Structures are given as C-alpha cells and as structure tokens.
Amino acid sequence: MAALGAWLAPWRERWQALAPRERRLVALAVTLVALAAAWSLLVAPAWRTVRAAPAEIDRLDRQLQDMQRLAAETRELRRTPPLPPAQAEAALRAATERLGERARITLAGDRATVTFTGVDGAQLRDWLAEVRVGARARPLEAQLVRTGSGFNGTVALALAGAGGGG
C-alpha cells in the first residue's frame, strides 16, 4: 500500500497544479478513454455474439435437422430386409440400362463399377437414389468429372444382397 501511495504522490501533485478547467478536460479525457476501453473489451464482443446468435442458431438447427433426417433414413435402411444377390444385381442392371449408352456396368462379386459418359446431374442423382433403394447398393467410391455434356467417370458400389451390407 505504501508503494502505491509513493507512486501516486507525484500524480496528485501534478493534479493539484492543474487549473480547474484543465482538471475537467483531463477528467473528461480519462472518462472517454475508460468508456472506449470498456466498450471495446466488455460490451462490443458480447454485442457481436448477441447479433450473430440467431443466424448461428438457425445454422445449427438446420444441421440438427439434417442429422436427424439421416439418422431416420439409416434406421429405415437397416430395417429393410436384405435382397437376394440376383435380385440386387437385376435392380442395378435395370437402373443402369435406363441411362442407355451413357452408362456401362461391370460386376465383380459383391462390387459393381458403373462408368458414366455425359450423364446430367439430375439423371445421376435419380440413378443413385434408385440403386440405393432398389438394389440396396451403396456407393464406395466415385470419380466423376463435370464436363459440358454432363458427368463422366466411375462409381463403385457395394451390393447389399451380395454380402456388402446395407
């Protein structure tokens, strides 16, 4: 405490030496600096958090809904009975044949590889949905490139009915 008093003594003397008008100006300047510091250190960060909270809550709600939708879809897929391998293969071939010359299928055991040439995004999406539900196949790997005429590349699938799981 004595050290603080010794440190403040010169400041007190200097304060006393100031004219009343100068004291008011210094007090006003110190108050403004203290308010600016309080705002920038205490209020502004909290204010930014409060302003950003609704958007963050909406984003997290959408993410939660997506996760709940995926969990429900997973539960539904687990409840579906397995397909016999021949039926899974037939469903995969039928879905692929609907794309015509733009898709070729190669089967090897419990794996299928489909090569696409110029398939548009909607057709590819619909094909994937049909294969997933109809053949109960799940994509393992995809190497697709978007070109001016659509998507080119391959998709490797595991056939659920052939032991690949669902």
Side-chain angles (χ1 to χ4, degrees):
M1 212 36 124
L4 180 62
W7 183 79
L8 287 175
W11 290 104
R12 280 193 199 114
E13 289 174 18
R14 183 151 174 102
W15 180 259
Q16 294 301 324
L18 292 175
R21 182 177 174 196
E22 290 173 330
R23 283 187 203 166
R24 282 193 302 273
L25 288 174
V26 169
L28 179 62
V30 168
T31 302
L32 289 175
V33 168
L35 287 173
W39 175 265
S40 66
L41 295 174
L42 303 173
V43 177
W47 190 263
R48 278 192 299 274
T49 300
V50 167
R51 281 196 344 232
E56 183 69 9
I57 289 170
D58 289 344
R59 184 186 69 77
L60 291 172
D61 279 344
R62 282 190 307 275
Q63 190 176 28
L64 176 63
Q65 289 169 357
D66 287 345
M67 291 172 65
Q68 288 172 335
R69 180 185 50 77
L70 290 172
E73 189 174 333
T74 299
R75 284 190 299 275
E76 184 65 31
L77 286 172
R78 284 188 178 153
R79 281 194 295 259
T80 57
L83 284 177
Q87 190 177 351
E89 183 180 322
L92 178 60
R93 283 189 187 279
T96 304
E97 286 170 1
R98 278 192 260 295
L99 295 175
E101 295 293 317
R102 294 172 292 185
R104 283 189 335 268
I105 186 170
T106 306
L107 291 165
D110 66 346
R111 243 179 110 110
T113 303
V114 181
T115 304
F116 297 100
T117 307
V119 175
D120 75 28
Q123 289 174 319
L124 184 59
R125 180 195 65 224
D126 294 345
W127 176 85
L128 277 169
E130 183 178 351
V131 163
R132 191 166 157 206
V133 173
R136 299 209 184 102
R138 62 186 164 88
L140 299 174
E141 183 180 338
Q143 295 177 349
L144 297 168
V145 176
R146 181 178 228 159
T147 64
S149 61
F151 285 95
N152 295 336
T154 60
V155 174
L157 303 157
L159 296 177

